Amino acid sequence: MPEALSLLCRVSAHPESRCWALAWSPSGALLASCGGDRTVRIWGRDGSGWLCRAVLGDAHQRTVRRVSWSPCGLYLASASFDGTTCVWKRQEDGFQVVATLEGHENEVKSVAWAPSGTLLATCSRDKSVWVWEVDDEEEEFECVSVLSAHSQDVKHVVWHPSLQLLASASYDDTVRLYREDEDDWLCCATLEGHTSTVWGVAWERSGHRLVSCSDDRTLRVWQRSEPPQGHGSGSEPSWQCVCTLSGYHGRSIYDVAWCHLTGAVATACGDDAVRVFEEVSPASPVSPVTFGLVAHVPRAHAQDVNGVAWHPREPGLLATCGDDGDIAFWRYQRPDGL
Amino acid sequence: MVGPGPAPLENANPLIYRRSGERPVTAREEDDELPDAIDDREIFDLIRSINDPEHPLTLEELNVVEQVRVKVSDAESTVSVEFTPTIPHCSMATLIGLSIKVKLLRSLPERFKLDVHITPGTHVSEHAVNKQLADKERVAAALENSHLLEVVNQCLSARS
């Protein structure tokens, strides 16, 4: 597969440490990274390269595991092993902490902002997922639900692209979905099939499907099906695994990103490689869902790759990060004939 | 991962095994011009003198680690170590595996992928311990815990 993925630029982002995760701001003007050095760093374009615009280093006492931007781009949330989540506000001269969310019993593993901007979700090794309500006039956050559906460490949370529907991935090998019901939140689906830790989930743009990546070295694509007509109003849509991609990854898959502009799926793997998959057009309407490998860079990083993130505005621009502390920027070009 | 305070010994009378001798040095290894690949014996030498958390003995003397259970491929940058808890209910299994992992993380070039497992069939919670040791996020979090790090460092310190 010649140069479907070509390197644009590489920066030493968290030297002497590991870079755990990346998040593009909604406009794509800024990229946030976080790592084992307890900092969040903000990156902006500088000609053909990328420059560190800010180091957010005085809030967390331990590793910062994940970061998430609010849909308006004004706020950034950071989840840390120190048990807290910080909310930073962008100001003229940098970023300032406006709230520290406390309550989890131990390491916070992930944080995600809902598309409406009115809700925030966090998850932790304490097995719970918390939903927070955002009062952005007061810059206050109130916990409105503690969800204890998982039986183990919860690794990742991510909201549906348009609905108030939340997905979480766990060390208990499952993905769970949650929705609001009256005044509380409930777990409305459990996606079983992975045989080890699920590290990450990503929604397709339409929100009808999601993809999960796992320590079992597979990707699974899950599809929503509506409850059959005529059933009571209580029946929920169900989620079926419609495709399993196995045999492509040499070690644990730590992250997955589904591009909302191109439909390409990128993975971060413990075998140091970055891979891109595309859906293969079905031969007939009843053909099974199939994805093919379209790009594979074996030594994308010098160590495990931890994060992948597609640019939200520029089709084919991909950022990756790894245990080597680097961020790499790639240009993905869909191979001809797909 | 580790309980507090002194507790009765879980395995009060362990079998003690003889230590292996020094590694014989070959003529090739003495030639500084030639590159030496990292081999099984070299990995074994790194981990055989780790202290048992419970006894004043090394992992080699308790037969927890053996050279035949070390597999190295320098070319593929992989190291796999199987360790054998002294008893199938050993509550120290995760701590011992973590100590082996930390010793190798600190000693080997960063390119190496480390897999530390329990010898199949030798521990009741084999699957759970293996899964925890393979989860680098939980290992990273454990090593930011100063109490646990102190216990691991005690296992790794050379006895006077």
Side-chain angles (χ1 to χ4, degrees), chain B residues 12-31:
Chain B
N13 287 301
L15 268 175
I16 300 174
Y17 294 76
R18 201 160 71 97
R19 278 182 284 183
S20 40
E22 295 299 308
R23 173 198 182 99
V25 180
T26 63
R28 189 194 145 84
E29 285 167 337
E30 282 186 351
D31 187 340

Side-chain angles (χ1 to χ4, degrees), chain B:
Chain B
M1 287 187 188
V2 189
L9 293 182
E10 283 190 4
N11 184 8
N13 287 301
L15 268 175
I16 300 174
Y17 294 76
R18 201 160 71 97
R19 278 182 284 183
S20 40
E22 295 299 308
R23 173 198 182 99
V25 180
T26 63
R28 189 194 145 84
E29 285 167 337
E30 282 186 351
D31 187 340
D32 291 339
E33 301 294 308
L34 295 173
D36 291 328
I38 293 172
D39 61 17
D40 298 357
R41 175 60 202 248
E42 207 167 340
I43 299 298
F44 182 61
D45 277 345
L46 287 170
I47 60 174
R48 70 189 178 109
S49 52
I50 295 173
N51 302 312
D52 181 77
E54 189 169 79
H55 293 284
L57 294 164
T58 65
L59 296 187
E60 180 187 26
E61 288 167 321
L62 291 168
N63 214 39
V64 171
V65 295
E66 301 162 85
Q67 191 177 333
V68 294
R69 300 198 179 278
V70 174
K71 299 275 178 288
V72 179
S73 166
D74 189 287
E76 288 168 25
S77 301
T78 56
V79 171
S80 150
V81 173
E82 278 177 6
F83 68 102
T84 313
T86 55
I87 47 170
H89 290 85
C90 179
S91 66
M92 306 280 178
T94 310
L95 175 61
I96 291 170
L98 186 63
S99 300
I100 295 171
K101 194 142 192 173
V102 171
K103 177 71 189 186
L104 295 175
L105 280 171
R106 288 178 184 169
S107 312
L108 290 172
E110 288 170 338
R111 66 183 163 94
F112 276 93
K113 304 292 180 187
L114 308 176
D115 290 305
V116 176
H117 302 280
I118 289 181
T119 305
T122 65
H123 195 273
V124 289
S125 310
E126 181 184 325
H127 175 73
V129 174
N130 286 344
K131 189 170 182 179
Q132 188 145 349
L133 289 172
D135 184 324
K136 70 169 184 179
E137 186 188 65
R138 288 167 74 124
V139 169
L143 296 178
E144 288 184 4
N145 172 334
S146 55
H147 167 67
L148 185 57
L149 190 60
E150 196 180 314
V151 177
V152 168
N153 282 334
Q154 271 165 22
C155 291
L156 298 184
S157 63
R159 256 199 316 272
S160 50

Side-chain angles (χ1 to χ4, degrees), chain A residues 18 62-63 65 81 107 109 153 155 171 173 197 199 251 254 270 272 303-304 306 323, chain B residues 78 110-111 113-115 127-128 131-138 140-142 144-145:
Chain A
R18 52 165 46 118
R62 292 178 58 186
T63 284
R65 179 63 182 88
F81 285 2
E107 294 97 270
K109 298 293 180 71
D153 188 357
K155 300 296 196 183
Y171 190 87
D173 308 351
T197 301
W199 282 107
R251 295 180 69 86
Y254 291 115
D272 308 346
Q303 297 179 56
D304 293 6
N306 293 324
D323 276 354
Chain B
T78 56
E110 288 170 338
R111 66 183 163 94
K113 304 292 180 187
L114 308 176
D115 290 305
H127 175 73
K131 189 170 182 179
Q132 188 145 349
L133 289 172
D135 184 324
K136 70 169 184 179
E137 186 188 65
R138 288 167 74 124
E144 288 184 4
N145 172 334

Side-chain angles (χ1 to χ4, degrees), chain A residues 143-328:
Chain A
C143 177
V144 291
S145 189
V146 173
L147 298 158
S148 306
H150 283 297
S151 62
Q152 290 287 344
D153 188 357
V154 191
K155 300 296 196 183
H156 192 210
V157 279
V158 58
W159 291 91
H160 185 283
S162 53
L163 306 174
Q164 310 272 51
L165 180 66
L166 178 69
S168 65
S170 166
Y171 190 87
D172 71 10
D173 308 351
T174 68
V175 173
R176 287 173 191 268
L177 304 181
Y178 313 84
R179 64 170 175 80
E180 199 169 12
D181 179 57
E182 312 268 317
D183 280 339
D184 204 1
W185 286 73
L186 56 80
C187 175
C188 56
T190 301
L191 283 47
E192 290 177 305
H194 281 296
T195 57
S196 190
T197 301
V198 190
W199 282 107
V201 273
W203 293 90
E204 189 183 29
R205 180 177 51 184
S206 69
H208 291 304
R209 297 194 291 185
L210 53 84
V211 61
S212 55
C213 65
S214 166
D215 179 57
D216 70 12
R217 305 178 184 195
T218 71
L219 290 179
R220 282 171 181 262
V221 179
W222 310 83
Q223 189 166 292
R224 176 191 161 120
S225 52
E226 297 309 321
Q229 294 294 319
H231 276 241
S233 58
S235 36
E236 302 274 353
S238 65
W239 293 79
Q240 261 87 43
C241 178
V242 291
C243 180
T244 302
L245 284 84
S246 58
Y248 293 105
H249 296 87
R251 295 180 69 86
S252 205
I253 313 167
Y254 291 115
D255 198 19
V256 61
W258 201 331
C259 182
H260 288 185
L261 304 173
T262 67
V265 173
T267 61
C269 186
D271 65 8
D272 308 346
V274 172
R275 294 172 178 84
V276 179
F277 300 84
E278 291 250 20
E279 187 166 10
V280 179
S281 312
S284 78
V286 293
S287 299
V289 176
T290 322
F291 281 76
L293 179 69
V294 289
H296 176 205
V297 181
R299 303 269 305 152
H301 283 264
Q303 297 179 56
D304 293 6
V305 189
N306 293 324
V308 277
W310 292 105
H311 193 277
R313 297 273 176 89
E314 209 178 306
L317 178 58
L318 180 72
T320 62
C321 66
D323 276 354
D324 57 7
D326 287 358
I327 300 176

